[in-house]
Amino acid sequence: MAIVPRPVEGSYDSALFDFILGSEGFVPRVYSDHRGIPTLGLGYALLVDAAGWPRREGLRDDFAAIGVTLSDQDETLLNSVSRALVLGRTGEAINLVAPWRPGEAPAVRNAFSFLIHKEQARVLFQRVRPDFEAVLAKNLGSVLIERLAGSQELMALFSLAYNSPALIGPGLTAAMKAGERQKVWYEIRFGSNRKRHPGLQNRRDHEAEVFGCLNEQPDADEQLAFKTLMASRREEMSRYLAQVGLDGGQIDTALTELEDIVGQTRLA
């Protein structure tokens, strides 16, 4: 079997930015994510999860590209957050830089000296985009990446990597290289939310839908492979859906809708 890419409509660059914007959301001030990492725009992290919690490489140049210079107070605050994270004091880091509340007035809880607008966030995204494309190329191989260029499938995989490079793991990578679309879809939707966070699951559901569980014109072997996966993993998927907050009726409906996908497709 082979994964037949589906090209995005129009500009891939614009579609990718809009996809990440929809997944991450735009925040105009520096905020703490759930781990206490100071973050900006479309999930642009100012500090890196590595020994000593250093600043992102190229942070100063990235900020210069959007016309932002850290003030002395900003520098001191960022150092304090880094020290708190080094010591494992997530709560302290979050107290220093308030999390984002949808609908808030950005300036009210802003601990830093600046705010940004969406076009500045676009610039930051484009500057870090190569880092995540490199993750995909390293794990999947340049040949496969070239085959997926400009596709919805690549966009969904990029979103996974952007959320966490570790999500481009061995199971997903093996399925991609084997051309087993249904297994990649399963890894995205049911294997990439370790803590079963309901909000994150909405993102995973969307990424899985965009990637797709079948080619547009699946042959009999593909349809059989998907039906076999659904049958063999039904109980596992049922438990998973309960863990992300669905009740019994919602679970039955969700699984039935997935099983009906095969009947709604057209054989090549």
Side-chain angles (χ1 to χ4, degrees):
M1 294 185 290
I3 295 172
V4 181
R6 293 164 295 145
V8 302
E9 295 183 6
S11 165
Y12 175 80
D13 290 345
S14 295
L16 180 63
F17 176 78
D18 289 342
F19 191 87
I20 299 302
L21 175 62
S23 298
E24 295 281 344
F26 164 65
V27 180
R29 68 167 175 84
V30 179
Y31 65 96
S32 285
D33 73 0
H34 68 285
R35 299 175 61 197
I37 301 172
T39 307
L40 176 68
L42 274 65
Y44 177 97
L46 279 64
L47 299 179
V48 179
D49 186 357
W53 281 96
R55 300 182 185 195
R56 176 188 288 279
E57 184 177 356
L59 177 68
R60 190 177 299 276
D61 290 340
D62 290 346
F63 275 17
I66 61 171
V68 170
T69 301
L70 292 176
S71 68
D72 291 343
Q73 184 178 348
D74 294 334
E75 297 275 5
T76 299
L77 177 56
L78 201 52
N79 289 337
S80 296
V81 174
S82 177
R83 283 195 296 271
L85 293 175
V86 167
L87 295 171
R89 298 173 180 170
T90 301
E92 180 180 330
I94 291 174
N95 286 335
L96 288 167
V97 180
W100 174 252
R101 294 175 181 168
E104 73 171 59
V108 172
R109 301 202 302 161
N110 184 23
F112 283 76
S113 65
F114 61 90
L115 297 171
I116 66 169
H117 52 70
K118 194 174 295 183
E119 287 309 306
Q120 289 172 300
R122 186 190 297 271
V123 172
L124 288 179
F125 170 73
Q126 293 297 345
R127 289 183 68 86
V128 300
R129 173 179 163 183
D131 297 344
F132 300 98
E133 290 176 331
V135 170
L136 293 174
K138 178 181 178 180
N139 289 11
L140 301 179
S142 58
V143 173
L144 183 52
I145 292 298
E146 289 174 10
R147 190 185 310 155
L148 295 173
S151 70
Q152 295 182 54
E153 290 80 5
L154 185 59
M155 191 164 62
L157 294 172
F158 181 94
S159 180
L160 276 177
Y162 193 81
N163 190 208
S164 174
L167 293 176
I168 310 300
L172 184 147
T173 298
M176 281 295 304
K177 292 180 177 179
E180 296 176 308
R181 181 190 283 271
Q182 79 285 356
K183 290 186 178 180
V184 180
W185 168 86
Y186 183 88
E187 287 288 333
I188 296 172
R189 183 161 184 177
F190 295 99
S192 301
N193 184 3
R194 183 170 56 86
K195 294 186 177 180
R196 307 296 193 262
H197 191 285
L200 181 58
Q201 192 58 41
N202 292 332
R203 176 172 181 163
R204 295 292 172 259
D205 291 348
H206 184 49
E207 290 164 343
E209 181 182 7
V210 169
F211 187 89
C213 55
L214 290 166
N215 287 326
E216 286 191 351
Q217 297 184 11
D219 59 26
D221 288 341
E222 285 180 77
Q223 296 218 29
L224 178 59
F226 182 68
K227 290 173 68 175
T228 300
L229 180 146
M230 288 299 301
S232 64
R233 300 287 183 91
R234 199 178 202 283
E235 290 188 9
E236 186 177 336
M237 288 187 285
S238 181
R239 288 194 299 272
Y240 181 95
L241 292 172
Q243 291 166 354
V244 295
L246 274 64
D247 62 31
Q250 292 171 322
I251 292 170
D252 289 340
T253 298
L255 294 178
T256 298
E257 289 176 350
L258 290 174
E259 290 165 342
D260 286 346
I261 288 175
V262 171
Q264 298 165 5
T265 55
R266 179 165 60 89
L267 287 173

